[in-house]
Amino acid sequence: MTGLDRNSVRRTAVLAGAALIVGLLPLASAGTAAAADPDPVPVDRFEGEVPFASQPAEGLFTWGGDADDPPELTLAERSDAPEGAKVLAGDYDISGYGGFTHDYAADQPGHDWSAHKGIRFWWDGQDNGKKTAFEIKDGGANGEASELWTTSFTDDFSGWKQIEIPFGDFTYRTDYQPVGGIDQVLGLTQMWGYAVTLPVGAPGRFAMDDVELYGKADQSLRASVTTDAAVYPVKEGGTASVKVSVATTGSAPIDEPVTVAYESAGGTAESGKDYTPVKGEITFPAGTESGASRTVRVPTLRDRTGEAAETVPLKLTVTGAKAPAETPQVVIDAHGLPYLDAKLPVKKRVADLLSRMSLAEKAGQMTQAERGAIGAGGDIAAYDLGSLLSGGGSTPTPNTPAAWAKMIDGYQLRAQATRFQIPLIYGVDAVHGHNNLAGATVMPHNIGIGATRDPALAERTGAVTAAEVRATGVPWDFAPCLCVTRDERWGRSYESFGEDPALVESMETVVQGLQGDRSGRDLKDADRVLATAKHFVGDGGTAYGSSTTGSYTVDQGVTKVGRQELEAVHLAPFQEAVDRGVGTVMPSYSSLDLGDGQGPVKMHARADMINGVLKDRMGFDGFVISDWNAIDQLPGDYAAHVRTSVNAGVDMMMVPYGYKEFSATLIDEAKAGRVTDRRIDDAVARILAQKFRLGLFEKPYADTSGASAIGSTAHRAVARQAAAESQVLLKNAGSVLPLKKSQKVYVAGSNADDIGNQTGGWTITWQGSSGNITPGTTILQGMRKAGGDVTYSKDASASTAGYDVGVVVVGETPYAEGVGDVGNGNDLELTAADKAAVDTVCAAMKCAVLIVSGRPQLIGDRLGDVDALVASWLPGTEGDGVADVLYGRRAFTGQLPVTWPKSESQLPINVGDTSYDPQFPYGWGLTTLTNVPGGGTASLRALALVAAAAERAGARTVARTAVTKARLLVQQKIGTAVTAASAKPFADADHLLLTGHYADAVAKLTQAYRAG
């Protein structure tokens, strides 16, 4: 007899016994018991019916913080098993976190648990006094993309005990959600399983049996009363309409009547003076359909006095269903106060509002929280929060423009419940397009934009980004990164426009693309956002091995420079940004060591740099926003972190999950006099000024009129051009490129057909990921669309016979920040599979190798076997742009924004170095579809005269053209025989070109020509 048969017999016996007892009871009692106690529904019997397996299959699987943390599981035969013959047993010794999960099959629908009261299971107690967390999974696409609802039980008993947990005991996890939350409602109609998190800190063992759903759902557990909003702003004299609805899990009609008594009571508004009080009762009879609603109207009264907003809570007392989580509030809008007058100058509006605010309200404006930390948003008003952000991958579900706008509008509505109704300023890291949003136009990362050497195009990419970001309700972008990358081992090097401050400055036209006019007058427009210059200052210069953050090697390390180098290399781009009117600046996680005896000092603590240089000397009048939890890296206790960073000049603190502690600590520090009122007022005035310039007081909600253009053909055309112009042709022996449509082309390599690898980090999630993560065109798809005769074999395992040319697309997989540092599990070598693909294809035919990466890859040992080599960088979603240059629709025009090294031992290597012997120098970039000038030194002499005359006359276009012709002539002579003698003057020439020294640039190129 199988375990299932034994179980059937056992259950039959139990039911027969129950029937005998019921027969002895009065009829009414028997009927009530039968209705209240349906048969339990098994979830896990641990008899082998559920295998050890993980998604997408149904199964039991373990997990943990490191290799030692997952527990060891077994299905053990036990004579004392509460049910069947076997139990789930295991041993554990967890230092971080660990546990196990039962997920249902992802390719099947979720299960409906809504008819039951709760979930229960047998646990073999060890009487260790430790808590074990038990979670259930609700909604979403599958068990690993669902909401987590949690509770716990204490092992304070010995032997088997049945643990019963009503569904009403589960709470929404606020510290972690796999997809950032879905609707934060435990619906129970789309359940995906459960998880157990075991105790930490000491070895242990456990046994568990018979997980099942039990009991009949109370109506109050499956029926709820809701209001259509938590906040109801209304102009003075208007009437607020509060829609009260009843809904059930599974949308079934209600079984029993539901009553809702309502009464206007409390709040800051005065009954009879500011509003007409209301009181009454609503009844939803038994049989009422789910979703039925009634409306309660609260009239407000008009007076002639200007005043702050006032609240009228509408108290709801519910019988027969779950009451709303919050008491809805009618808010009589602030009115008649000077700061609300859009005709007044921003300075006067700021001064008026600031004069009215309390210390707590000011502290709230200086606080920024992560959206995932605030739940339904009640804390926005409770803590007078000034700002929210979405960190990388923190998105609404579904991840659509409409969902973004709805989410942010909901948060802005919450801010209307504050006294002065100061709108939130919402920020995102849109570092190469609205990269958190699925379907957005994703631009090449900055390293590729730097390769274009096209300031006008950089501005257009910024404008597209701004339009797509603002159309989702987001008015603030944490971009651009103005770091000057000096060591390509840095995991953020692709966020930089290049290694030369002059190149970075030339690309800062992106600030105008984001913000519009330097004056800030365009910020209120529906296609502009506030920009952020980051990371101030020196984050691109951190030394290898200097990081103190986890396993990072370069990121968040120490930049040790003299003041002259600091000014010339790292500060110069920020002066340009200030001159362009950038609205915010973000300090770096890194430390700065100026050799002045102070040693390394974290940038968030450097008052000399933030207050002294940025605000005072440079004249920056925007506000300074910290990086994510950056103040936690400062020395001392938390109070020291707060006062040090605020006094150093940081105006708003990004404290994603610590917003309550920050606000309270800042208030305490201010009351104690350790942070002055003047400093706080300066910070808040700067923040309010930008909110006024953005027009948020007049239009706090999303203007979605531009949403239809998100990911549009017009926007993708800009990204396509940027992708094309970013391609740097490093070698082109025998003019292999451009390809001809008549050629049979063999395509291989890991990055030929992977949109995730092509877009890199900071795409949909913080670290990015491989695969089909967002709509776009891969390089392979672009080649096929271009009309080429293309065959694809990712690993080059298909026959290579009969092809005219091969294209091998190799490179990196996504990473972001210090996670991508070389030495932190990364290097600059191609993978073994990529090397094999290159070797196979290039041995069989003429070949072009494209390197899709955030930084140079070491290719020197194979350079002789490769006919054409292209640095493709991270081109974004528009692989058509790469195909455009491969097939000659556009010419290759990109130039190296960083030096391409021969070996990792050369790093750091940069233009201007005394010793400079790279594989390819900074500024290198061959061209196609262009006739390269001939004539050698005679032509160079002539071009020198043209450049000098044009420079004197201020004819920059003519001068640049002369330098470009000279560069192409020199490159043609040097070919791949780059030497230290030719590389150094060649790289220097590009720096001179960018700084407007055109005649000197041609002179350097002439020197390179003679050395070549």
Side-chain angles (χ1 to χ4, degrees):
M1 183 182 290
T2 66
L4 181 60
D5 291 334
R6 286 198 300 271
N7 183 52
S8 299
V9 169
R10 175 178 293 187
R11 291 195 184 279
T12 301
V14 169
L15 291 173
L20 178 61
I21 294 170
V22 167
L24 301 176
L25 296 174
L27 185 59
S29 299
T32 302
D37 297 306
D39 289 345
V41 173
V43 176
D44 248 339
R45 298 182 54 247
F46 305 118
E47 299 300 309
E49 78 284 6
V50 176
F52 291 111
S54 57
Q55 294 281 281
E58 179 176 7
L60 291 157
F61 61 95
T62 61
W63 37 265
D66 58 40
D68 298 328
D69 284 345
E72 296 289 335
L73 299 184
T74 184
L75 297 178
E77 291 205 17
R78 290 268 296 257
S79 59
D80 64 342
E83 190 276 337
K86 296 179 180 179
V87 302
L88 181 70
D91 297 299
Y92 59 88
D93 185 3
I94 301 168
S95 58
Y97 64 90
F100 61 91
T101 291
H102 173 186
D103 274 353
Y104 294 136
D107 61 354
Q108 299 295 316
H111 292 209
D112 187 345
W113 293 2
S114 63
H116 295 273
K117 180 179 181 178
I119 189 167
R120 67 189 182 192
F121 50 88
W122 289 89
W123 191 265
D124 186 12
Q126 306 301 307
D127 199 18
N128 56 26
K130 293 183 177 292
K131 284 189 174 183
T132 296
F134 188 85
E135 295 175 347
I136 55 177
K137 301 186 169 194
D138 167 52
N142 55 59
E144 296 305 287
S146 57
E147 284 185 346
L148 301 181
W149 291 74
T150 186
T151 188
S152 65
F153 63 92
T154 302
D155 187 342
D156 55 3
F157 54 92
S158 296
W160 289 106
K161 178 181 177 180
Q162 192 172 44
I163 308 294
E164 289 194 345
I165 308 173
F167 289 130
D169 287 358
F170 286 91
T171 59
Y172 182 81
R173 272 192 70 170
T174 56
D175 60 328
Y176 171 75
Q177 289 290 344
V179 293
I182 297 164
D183 59 9
Q184 300 183 16
V185 174
L186 181 55
L188 297 172
T189 59
Q190 192 179 10
M191 303 303 294
W192 293 102
Y194 66 86
V196 175
T197 302
L198 294 164
V200 174
R205 60 186 178 86
F206 76 93
M208 182 183 191
D209 199 15
D210 194 24
V211 183
E212 63 184 12
L213 309 176
Y214 74 94
K216 179 183 177 183
D218 297 334
Q219 179 164 288
S220 61
L221 288 178
R222 66 181 186 85
S224 58
V225 168
T226 60
T227 58
D228 56 329
V231 179
Y232 296 84
V234 61
K235 293 188 181 300
E236 186 189 42
T239 297
S241 297
V242 180
K243 186 178 178 182
V244 180
S245 302
V246 64
T248 62
T249 300
S251 300
I254 57 176
D255 298 330
E256 304 164 11
V258 173
T259 61
V260 183
Y262 60 86
E263 180 181 7
S264 54
T268 58
E270 186 177 338
S271 176
K273 177 185 175 184
D274 297 312
Y275 69 96
T276 301
V278 297
K279 185 176 182 179
E281 186 174 276
I282 297 168
T283 299
F284 295 96
T288 299
E289 294 293 325
S290 178
S293 62
R294 306 284 188 272
T295 300
V296 177
R297 291 181 172 82
V298 182
T300 68
L301 303 174
R302 187 183 298 276
D303 60 33
R304 297 179 182 276
T305 307
E307 55 193 347
E310 297 171 307
T311 58
V312 185
L314 187 65
K315 182 181 178 183
L316 303 178
T317 304
V318 179
T319 303
K322 187 183 294 184
E326 297 178 68
T327 297
Q329 290 194 81
V330 174
V331 179
I332 305 170
D333 286 341
H335 55 278
L337 302 177
Y339 78 88
L340 296 169
D341 186 353
K343 295 178 182 177
L344 289 178
V346 167
K347 192 172 182 179
K348 287 189 175 181
R349 298 179 75 182
V350 169
D352 177 69
L353 178 52
L354 194 62
S355 70
R356 301 174 186 278
M357 295 171 68
S358 68
L359 175 59
E361 287 166 332
K362 292 173 183 177
Q365 287 302 301
M366 295 173 67
T367 307
Q368 183 182 65
E370 152 66 35
R371 60 167 285 279
I374 61 165
D379 279 354
I380 292 171
Y383 291 88
D384 294 289
L385 294 179
S387 181
L388 295 179
L389 83 151
S390 278
S394 178
T395 65
T397 302
N399 187 4
T400 63
W404 275 87
K406 181 180 178 181
M407 174 185 73
I408 294 169
D409 282 356
Y411 295 142
Q412 291 288 17
L413 180 64
R414 295 289 190 157
Q416 295 299 298
T418 59
R419 272 205 309 164
F420 300 114
Q421 298 181 305
I422 303 172
L424 295 164
I425 180 169
Y426 199 102
V428 297
D429 286 279
V431 299
H432 62 141
H434 196 354
N435 43 255
N436 277 322
L437 172 64
T441 307
V442 178
M443 302 291 170
H445 268 294
N446 283 354
I447 195 88
I449 300 298
T452 71
R453 296 299 200 279
D454 189 339
L457 180 58
E459 182 171 350
R460 290 175 65 202
T461 65
V464 169
T465 298
E468 297 199 0
V469 168
R470 194 68 181 261
T472 60
V474 178
W476 184 15
D477 185 3
F478 303 132
C481 185
L482 302 183
C483 51
V484 182
T485 178
R486 307 293 283 179
D487 188 336
E488 277 57 65
R489 291 172 291 189
W490 185 34
R492 299 191 85 138
S493 56
Y494 64 75
E495 293 186 51
S496 173
F497 291 114
E499 70 186 35
D500 183 353
L503 175 57
V504 174
E505 289 177 61
S506 73
M507 293 294 111
E508 289 186 52
T509 49
V510 71
V511 172
Q512 263 56 67
L514 294 167
Q515 292 194 171
D517 190 81
R518 296 169 189 238
S519 67
R521 68 188 181 201
D522 297 334
L523 284 172
K524 64 183 181 302
D525 294 348
D527 60 353
R528 299 294 182 185
V529 294
L530 198 66
T532 306
K534 64 183 189 183
H535 302 90
F536 186 83
V537 60
D539 56 333
T542 51
Y544 186 85
S546 67
S547 181
T548 57
T549 300
S551 57
Y552 294 5
T553 57
V554 185
D555 193 37
Q556 303 184 23
V558 179
T559 300
K560 188 170 184 178
V561 290
R563 288 194 175 271
Q564 184 176 355
E565 184 178 348
L566 177 71
E567 294 282 348
V569 175
H570 300 292
L571 277 172
F574 286 92
Q575 182 65 69
E576 175 72 15
V578 171
D579 293 344
R580 288 183 173 276
V582 73
T584 62
V585 169
M586 182 182 290
S588 174
Y589 280 117
S590 59
S591 301
L592 185 60
D593 185 349
L594 294 174
D596 54 6
Q598 293 187 65
V601 178
K602 285 285 184 182
M603 277 307 308
H604 282 75
R606 292 215 67 134
D608 60 330
M609 289 288 122
I610 300 173
N611 285 329
V613 174
L614 178 65
K615 291 182 174 179
D616 294 343
R617 194 189 82 190
M618 291 184 176
F620 174 63
D621 64 357
F623 70 88
V624 176
I625 170 70
S626 86
D627 211 331
W628 179 287
N629 278 336
I631 65 170
D632 290 350
Q633 298 186 5
L634 302 184
D637 60 14
Y638 191 70
H641 299 169
V642 171
R643 66 174 173 269
T644 299
S645 54
V646 172
N647 288 333
V650 183
D651 302 306
M652 181 185 285
M653 221 61 67
M654 189 187 291
V655 278
Y657 294 89
Y659 58 93
K660 296 177 185 178
E661 185 182 10
F662 169 76
S663 180
T665 304
L666 177 57
I667 291 169
D668 289 344
E669 291 298 293
K671 287 179 177 177
R674 291 185 287 268
V675 176
T676 66
D677 292 346
R678 181 178 179 183
R679 172 67 196 105
I680 288 177
D681 283 354
D682 172 62
V684 177
R686 289 169 176 270
I687 294 163
L688 293 177
Q690 299 297 10
K691 290 185 176 184
F692 281 122
R693 290 179 182 126
L694 284 162
L696 294 176
F697 281 81
E698 290 70 48
K699 294 182 178 180
Y701 303 114
D703 181 344
T704 59
S705 58
S708 61
I710 294 173
S712 65
T713 301
H715 284 185
R716 290 183 183 275
V718 175
R720 178 174 181 165
Q721 181 182 348
E725 291 191 24
S726 72
Q727 303 299 293
V728 181
L729 184 58
L730 299 172
K731 179 183 178 182
N732 195 23
S735 297
V736 168
L737 297 176
L739 305 171
K740 299 177 181 65
K741 292 181 182 179
S742 60
Q743 291 176 311
K744 290 188 67 179
V745 181
Y746 186 102
V747 180
S750 60
N751 286 350
D753 195 31
D754 193 307
I755 203 74
N757 291 354
Q758 188 175 303
T759 50
W762 287 110
T763 308
I764 307 302
T765 58
W766 173 41
Q767 290 294 314
S769 59
S770 301
N772 189 23
I773 62 172
T774 193
T777 303
T778 66
I779 293 171
L780 174 67
Q781 290 167 340
M783 293 176 69
R784 285 174 170 160
K785 287 167 68 178
D789 182 356
V790 172
T791 297
Y792 175 56
S793 175
K794 181 176 180 178
D795 60 357
S797 59
S799 172
T800 56
Y803 292 92
D804 299 308
V805 63
V807 174
V808 192
V809 189
V810 295
E812 296 184 307
T813 54
Y815 54 82
E817 301 193 36
V819 176
D821 284 351
V822 167
N824 188 20
N826 306 284
D827 56 38
L828 300 181
E829 296 281 348
L830 298 180
T831 66
D834 278 348
K835 288 178 179 179
V838 170
D839 293 345
T840 298
V841 175
C842 294
M845 65 194 83
K846 292 187 296 182
C847 70
V849 173
L850 277 59
I851 300 180
V852 174
S853 63
R855 53 198 169 190
Q857 303 292 284
L858 302 175
I859 193 75
D861 58 343
R862 284 170 170 75
L863 190 57
D865 301 322
V866 172
D867 297 291
L869 180 64
V870 179
S872 288
W873 309 114
L874 298 169
T877 50
E878 306 314 299
D880 286 324
V882 181
D884 285 341
V885 293
L886 289 178
Y887 277 97
R889 185 175 182 269
R890 286 181 178 272
F892 275 94
T893 57
Q895 295 176 246
L896 283 181
V898 293
T899 300
W900 199 283
K902 289 180 178 177
S903 67
E904 193 175 312
S905 64
Q906 287 185 312
L907 297 174
I909 182 171
N910 295 288
V911 57
D913 287 353
T914 303
S915 177
Y916 191 73
D917 186 19
Q919 192 83 66
F920 296 102
Y922 168 78
W924 187 268
L926 306 176
T927 192
T928 52
L929 311 182
T930 301
N931 291 323
V932 177
T937 54
S939 292
L940 288 171
R941 282 195 297 271
L943 290 169
L945 293 173
V946 171
E951 184 177 335
R952 288 192 298 271
R956 289 185 295 177
T957 301
V958 174
R960 286 175 179 274
T961 300
V963 177
T964 298
K965 288 182 177 180
R967 178 176 63 83
L968 296 177
L969 190 157
V970 172
Q971 284 180 158
Q972 185 179 55
K973 181 188 179 188
I974 294 175
T976 56
V978 178
T979 64
S982 61
K984 181 172 174 52
F986 185 94
D988 291 343
D990 201 58
H991 172 75
L992 291 166
L993 168 66
L994 288 164
T995 53
H997 297 90
Y998 306 112
D1000 290 342
V1002 176
K1004 284 289 184 181
L1005 287 168
T1006 302
Q1007 182 182 341
Y1009 181 88
R1010 288 170 177 158

